[in-house]
Amino acid sequence: MEIQEALVDQVLIAIRKIIRAIDLHSRKLIKSCGLTVPQIIVLKEIEKSKAPTVGQIANSVSLSQATITNILTRLEHRGYVTRTQHDDDKRRVVVRTTEKGKEVIGQAPSLLHDKFISSFENLKDWEQLSLISSLQRVAWMMDAEDLEASPVLSPGAVMPIDPYKLELERSLQSNSSKNKEVK
Amino acid sequence: MEIQEALVDQVLIAIRKIIRAIDLHSRKLIKSCGLTVPQIIVLKEIEKSKAPTVGQIANSVSLSQATITNILTRLEHRGYVTRTQHDDDKRRVVVRTTEKGKEVIGQAPSLLHDKFISSFENLKDWEQLSLISSLQRVAWMMDAEDLEASPVLSPGAVMPIDPYKLELERSLQSNSSKNKEVK
DNA sequence: TGTAATTAATTAGAGTACTATATATTCTGC
DNA sequence: GCAGAATATATAGTACTCTAATTAATTACA
């Protein structure tokens, strides 16, 4: 029982270290390319799904609408995106990248530390898959809370892991359509 | 090569989902107990290491000193902690929990989702250890960047995993000294 | 048709987190 | 003892993120 608690603590500690590492990396990017990780993610999403609305971006990148509005305001001020009213539905705002915006994403660096990426690439295949599977599993276990009235988890039931295997396989099959930002 | 990039993307996506889940949970805590996760972490740390200075707290919880000052200001306003000048070295500020502060940590809920914790506890032992090992490994791989002139990573070298085994074992041995916040 | 409910985006307000800078204090070397 | 270096904390400024409330536009239904 106490061991369980110590282990759960370890989970939180490890996650907070990861969060901090990602945040620090994001701040370094500001100096090297003038954009933060969230800004690059949003810019890329706009490029990927041509001329999306604010809400669509929010759904795609899993952030609140208010956050996207916030980030877009900054990107717009720097001339990387434009906001125009939707023709049919005037409540909607259509977002597009400018030429300047396209240019800056083209040369945007990797969203994860170079050291992490090289370390990751040096792992054996099964180790890579195991890492990703673990991360996705944790993400899923945390996400479950929001699914009110989710499928019954009987006490003692083993966590389903299949969704992640599926997601992983899907990503492997569709990777040819991904943009290359990692050299 | 392209598969590698898709996998690295999967890592970032999974981590961002985890970050968001933790943030959302933290915001829910504000309603249930009036404190956020970082506030609880800081409060607990003050309790644990009796009367620490601001810098000591920052080191213990791996946040910048400015962030701790920020959080302490809020905790002080609500009467959960006090700040007093150190007797010998007047640059230092000694932080202590008030009675009100001790009370509120006593009834503070878990820092991770209940669903996550119950899911985690239902995992087999090796699955729990595997999850934690993966998280710690990711944290380590990301942290490595900050260690300028770190031990040479020859191209093709396998990532060392031992530091985490050690950390894990240490936590298992010392868990009896941990406070019980998870029922 | 016209009001009510819904939907889309923004605004307001708060918390976390950083870097860089300022301020106060202590230590060091002369 | 005192000027300059080092240390500890606080402040300023920025960005991300959320929820809740507002504004504007569309849809539904009576």
Side-chain angles (χ1 to χ4, degrees), chain A residues 85-98:
Chain A
Q85 239 181 7
H86 194 277
D87 285 335
D88 299 341
D89 187 341
K90 283 169 189 162
R91 290 170 306 179
R92 299 190 202 180
V93 168
V94 176
V95 185
R96 291 187 185 83
T97 51
T98 62

Side-chain angles (χ1 to χ4, degrees), chain B residues 70-87:
Chain B
N70 196 0
I71 292 172
L72 286 179
T73 301
R74 252 178 285 277
L75 291 176
E76 193 181 27
H77 282 160
R78 295 187 208 169
Y80 294 144
V81 302
T82 59
R83 280 195 268 206
T84 51
Q85 241 182 4
H86 194 276
D87 285 335

Side-chain angles (χ1 to χ4, degrees), chain A residues 9 12, chain B residues 22 25 29 36-38 40-41 44 109-113 117 181-182:
Chain A
D9 282 355
L12 184 60
Chain B
I22 287 182
H25 181 246
L29 287 194
T36 63
V37 167
I40 296 172
I41 289 174
K44 282 190 179 174
S110 164
L111 295 179
L112 286 173
H113 313 55
I117 290 170
E181 72 275 5
V182 181

Side-chain angles (χ1 to χ4, degrees), chain A residues 36 39 64 66-67 70 74 78 88-91:
Chain A
T36 63
Q39 288 170 358
S64 77
T67 300
N70 194 359
R74 254 179 287 277
R78 296 188 207 169
D88 299 341
D89 187 341
K90 283 169 189 162
R91 290 170 306 179

Side-chain angles (χ1 to χ4, degrees), chain A residues 139-148 150 153, chain B residues 115-116 119:
Chain A
W140 187 88
M141 284 162 77
M142 290 187 168
D143 205 35
E145 188 173 36
D146 291 329
L147 308 174
E148 311 285 9
S150 61
L153 274 179
Chain B
K115 284 252 175 58
F116 174 84
S119 296

Side-chain angles (χ1 to χ4, degrees), chain A residues 67-116:
Chain A
T67 300
I68 301 300
T69 293
N70 194 359
I71 293 173
L72 286 180
T73 301
R74 254 179 287 277
L75 292 176
E76 195 181 26
H77 281 160
R78 296 188 207 169
Y80 294 146
V81 302
T82 60
R83 280 194 268 206
T84 51
Q85 239 181 7
H86 194 277
D87 285 335
D88 299 341
D89 187 341
K90 283 169 189 162
R91 290 170 306 179
R92 299 190 202 180
V93 168
V94 176
V95 185
R96 291 187 185 83
T97 51
T98 62
E99 277 310 310
K100 196 175 161 191
K102 287 182 176 69
E103 201 175 312
V104 82
I105 352 175
Q107 39 193 257
S110 163
L111 295 178
L112 285 173
H113 314 52
D114 290 338
K115 284 253 176 56
F116 174 84

